[in-house]
Amino acid sequence: MSRGETQRGSDIVLLFVVRCLLSVVQYEHNELNEHNEHEQLEEKMSQQIRLTTPLTTEDAEKLNIGDKVLLNGVLFTGRDAAHKRLFDLIQDGKELPIDIKGQVIYYVGPTPAKPGKPIGSAGPTTSYRMDPYSPKLIELGLKGMIGKGNRSQAVIDAMKQFRAVYFGATGGAGALIAKRIKKAEIVVYPDLGPEAIRRLEVEDFPVTVINDTKGNDLYVEGMRQYAEE
Amino acid sequence: MTREIPAQEIIKVVKDLCVDANYNLGNDVLLAFDQAIENEKSETAREVLRELKENARIAREEKAPICQDCGLAVVFMEIGQDVHITGGDLKAAINEGVRQGYEEGYLRKSACNPITRKNTGDNTPAIIHLEIVPGDKIRIIVAPKGGGSENMSRVTMLTPAAGMEGVKDFVVNRVKESGSNPCPPTIIGIGVGGTFERSAILAKKALLRTLGERNPDPELAKIEKQIFARIKKLGIGPVGYGGTTTSLDVFLEMEPCHIASLPVAVNIQCHAARHKEAVI
Ligand code: SF4
């Protein structure tokens, strides 16, 4: 083997070593960045914000996706059938049976209350069924909605334009959530059974901000962080 | 020799299973939550998983439904061919059991007319799947099924050329498109083959397995694992807030089909994976 070849061989080895070192540094750098990003979101998510309803525009504006919020005060319940009735009243130019300004509607159809309990299990229902009706209610001053699952672009746009937020409650955690509901009474449409509009008094009702007033979406951002496919 | 089983007994067993399934989440699911808490990368996701565990504990202790959507009552029944049911009509007995269970257990009644949306008031009719098997016993499985995850389920007829890769893509895309709607972490039931309706029943039946139980065919077991690994990479996470725990398990069942078709059904089950069984 000539000297030149040996030289070239050791050059290659050196290059290889340098490459490896570089990629380790690069890798650690990426890890670090990713780690910081994760930490930031996680940190943001572990903060808990206490809010009392009715909510103001300022309350809504200071919330960001991923924020954990404990709601206190009054929530109104409503699902598809109740929304349809409210919507029809608006279309006919009639007055709504509840003043929705600053209010928060919880999409829920609870189980029957056992004797001595204010309500049965009461987790969120899928929100997209309310999408056709929500923009109008937001325009009329509704400040918050609690449910589970994605909202339509029209609802997200209305939230941005009229300053409202969409909160997620943990889907399927009906028994746990019920413990934060202290009082429940039907205010209108008793004929709808589990779908009647109820007035709930809640203490530290746990929700997470999914869509904020800036048009962000936790479902999109959360998935982006962990998606590999 | 035929064995007589009174319809009354069927009413009682179905009633108890409806209540038991709604109050008491299976140990396999609880164990899967624990495992997921250990392996999950996102702290937010771990917190959601801890909430789900706590929710199951409260439900069990307070005898309350795990979820407010107590589902339609799906009832699978394997009837031994030597059984003679006495004192009443079998289907009426099943429905009566459902009626009593949902009323006395304070469960939500979610059955309604598809068009007028008028609630039937007692959660009947149950969705009944009967099968005649050898023997002189009746095996009853009650699997209440919530609307949120059922709505994300699909049946498709693939072209045979799509093959197993086509099946995998269809399932993974379905889970991806469902996002947060079916209350992840989910369990994925897949039915491949049969006819249009048979594939759906296979997918639903697959969901009755205990978590961790692989298809006995090693080839199919391998495919279950491959699909599971791909779903994990979607990043949807518990209730969709992002994370590595999107599904708890994937179950695939396969049967022969027509030479011209490749039916595939995906039945998505939410984490409120309720099914209880009894043998009489
Ligand atoms: S999808 Fe399942 S956990 Fe979620 S609300 Fe429906 S039944 Fe409950």
Side-chain angles (χ1 to χ4, degrees):
Chain A
M1 198 191 282
S2 77
R3 206 175 167 263
E5 269 176 341
T6 321
Q7 180 66 39
R8 203 175 311 135
S10 62
D11 273 357
I12 287 170
V13 169
L14 190 68
L15 196 69
F16 180 71
V17 168
V18 168
R19 277 235 179 102
C20 282
L21 278 176
L22 264 180
S23 69
V24 165
V25 171
Q26 184 69 30
Y27 177 73
E28 280 187 344
H29 181 73
N30 284 347
E31 278 270 284
L32 213 63
N33 266 354
E34 232 174 68
H35 197 68
N36 276 343
E37 233 174 72
H38 278 199
E39 266 187 353
Q40 274 167 12
L41 190 79
E42 305 270 307
E43 205 178 289
K44 216 173 69 193
M45 285 186 152
S46 60
Q47 293 167 2
Q48 294 209 328
I49 302 165
R50 268 205 178 75
L51 284 178
T52 303
T53 61
L55 301 183
T56 62
T57 298
E58 294 71 54
D59 286 335
E61 279 175 342
K62 71 178 186 216
L63 295 175
N64 295 301
I65 56 163
D67 282 350
K68 295 222 138 232
V69 180
L70 297 172
L71 291 173
N72 287 274
V74 169
L75 306 176
F76 287 98
T77 71
R79 293 172 46 114
D80 332 23
H83 271 77
K84 184 167 184 342
R85 289 195 191 177
L86 294 180
F87 192 74
D88 288 347
L89 285 177
I90 297 171
Q91 297 292 75
D92 296 347
K94 294 201 180 113
E95 206 176 309
L96 294 182
I98 49 167
D99 181 9
I100 59 164
K101 274 220 178 60
Q103 297 301 342
V104 177
I105 296 188
Y106 181 24
Y107 304 146
V108 61
T111 60
K114 280 193 171 174
K117 301 260 172 163
I119 201 163
S121 293
T125 193
T126 312
S127 307
Y128 68 77
R129 296 192 315 269
M130 270 53 78
D131 284 355
Y133 313 116
S134 296
K136 193 77 213 166
L137 296 176
I138 294 169
E139 193 186 330
L140 291 178
L142 183 72
K143 279 290 158 220
M145 296 155 285
I146 309 172
K148 68 173 179 94
N150 299 81
R151 306 312 301 268
S152 70
Q153 196 55 47
V155 180
I156 294 175
D157 291 345
M159 282 190 268
K160 207 169 152 185
Q161 189 181 351
F162 301 104
R163 304 290 185 221
V165 280
Y166 171 49
F167 300 104
T170 300
L176 180 120
I177 291 171
K179 294 190 88 77
R180 307 294 175 92
I181 300 171
K182 300 302 165 185
K183 218 175 135 193
E185 54 182 7
I186 294 182
V187 283
V188 63
Y189 310 142
D191 59 300
L192 293 181
E195 299 207 33
I197 296 188
R198 286 172 170 79
R199 182 182 180 277
L200 307 182
E201 282 176 27
V202 299
E203 269 175 37
D204 284 349
F205 188 95
V207 292
T208 303
V209 179
I210 307 238
N211 295 110
D212 56 24
T213 54
K214 297 125 207 153
N216 298 315
D217 190 330
L218 175 64
Y219 290 136
V220 175
E221 292 308 318
M223 189 167 162
R224 206 199 319 265
Q225 286 235 343
Y226 293 93
E228 294 173 47
E229 180 163 303
Chain B
M1 264 293 276
T2 52
R3 181 171 159 245
E4 295 200 340
I5 297 182
Q8 278 302 326
E9 200 173 335
I10 293 169
I11 296 178
K12 190 172 175 321
V13 169
V14 168
K15 168 186 155 183
D16 291 347
L17 288 175
C18 287
V19 176
D20 186 16
N22 270 292
Y23 291 178
N24 304 307
L25 195 60
N27 282 331
D28 57 335
V29 183
L30 292 172
L31 273 174
F33 285 163
D34 279 336
Q35 239 173 39
I37 291 169
E38 241 173 68
N39 300 332
E40 174 58 57
K41 285 192 189 155
S42 150
E43 174 49 30
T44 309
R46 281 196 294 271
E47 212 174 303
V48 171
L49 291 164
R50 281 192 287 264
E51 258 182 58
L52 297 181
K53 223 181 121 181
E54 175 65 3
N55 181 64
R57 188 192 62 80
I58 293 172
R60 188 177 289 257
E61 259 170 36
E62 301 196 355
K63 300 191 187 322
I66 303 159
C67 179
Q68 75 290 336
D69 184 349
C70 303
L72 283 188
V74 179
V75 180
F76 284 92
M77 207 176 263
E78 290 167 14
I79 305 170
Q81 62 192 26
D82 299 329
V83 170
H84 176 210
I85 296 159
T86 59
D89 159 349
L90 172 64
K91 285 198 177 166
I94 297 172
N95 280 319
E96 184 56 27
V98 168
R99 192 173 291 124
Q100 291 182 11
Y102 275 71
E103 189 54 38
E104 292 171 31
Y106 292 90
L107 306 179
R108 201 184 78 188
K109 292 98 187 157
S110 308
C112 75
N113 177 297
I115 305 304
T116 65
R117 311 308 294 174
K118 191 173 166 6
N119 200 300
T120 64
D122 57 6
N123 219 44
T124 68
I127 309 298
I128 304 172
H129 301 290
L130 299 177
E131 211 177 314
I132 303 292
V133 298
D136 64 356
K137 293 192 171 56
I138 298 181
R139 180 173 177 227
I140 306 174
I141 304 171
V142 175
K145 188 66 170 71
S149 52
E150 196 72 353
N151 283 346
M152 295 299 119
S153 306
R154 294 288 185 274
V155 178
T156 191
M157 307 301 277
L158 295 179
T159 51
M164 195 47 97
E165 284 314 306
V167 172
K168 289 184 201 165
D169 289 345
F170 176 67
V171 175
V172 174
N173 279 336
R174 187 79 287 270
V175 175
K176 187 173 181 181
E177 278 164 25
S178 304
S180 58
N181 290 323
C183 289
T186 52
I187 298 156
I188 311 299
I190 308 161
V192 180
T195 47
F196 177 77
E197 84 285 7
R198 181 68 188 162
S199 66
I201 292 177
L202 283 177
K204 176 129 294 174
K205 267 195 158 175
L207 293 174
L208 301 177
R209 274 197 234 159
T210 304
L211 296 186
E213 188 186 333
R214 296 272 63 80
N215 189 303
D217 178 334
E219 256 320 292
L220 297 181
K222 207 166 87 191
I223 288 156
E224 290 175 343
K225 283 193 206 156
Q226 287 166 350
I227 296 175
F228 182 77
R230 279 183 64 184
I231 290 174
K232 200 179 156 92
K233 288 187 182 159
L234 293 177
I236 296 168
V239 302
Y241 298 165
T244 48
T245 314
T246 299
S247 288
L248 298 174
D249 213 337
V250 174
F251 300 133
L252 185 142
E253 297 288 336
M254 194 160 91
E255 275 184 5
C257 62
H258 192 279
I259 49 171
S261 29
L262 174 47
V264 185
V266 187
N267 197 191
I268 302 188
Q269 168 65 59
C270 54
H271 59 73
R274 297 157 286 191
H275 51 95
K276 290 282 151 117
E277 67 169 273
V279 176
I280 49 179

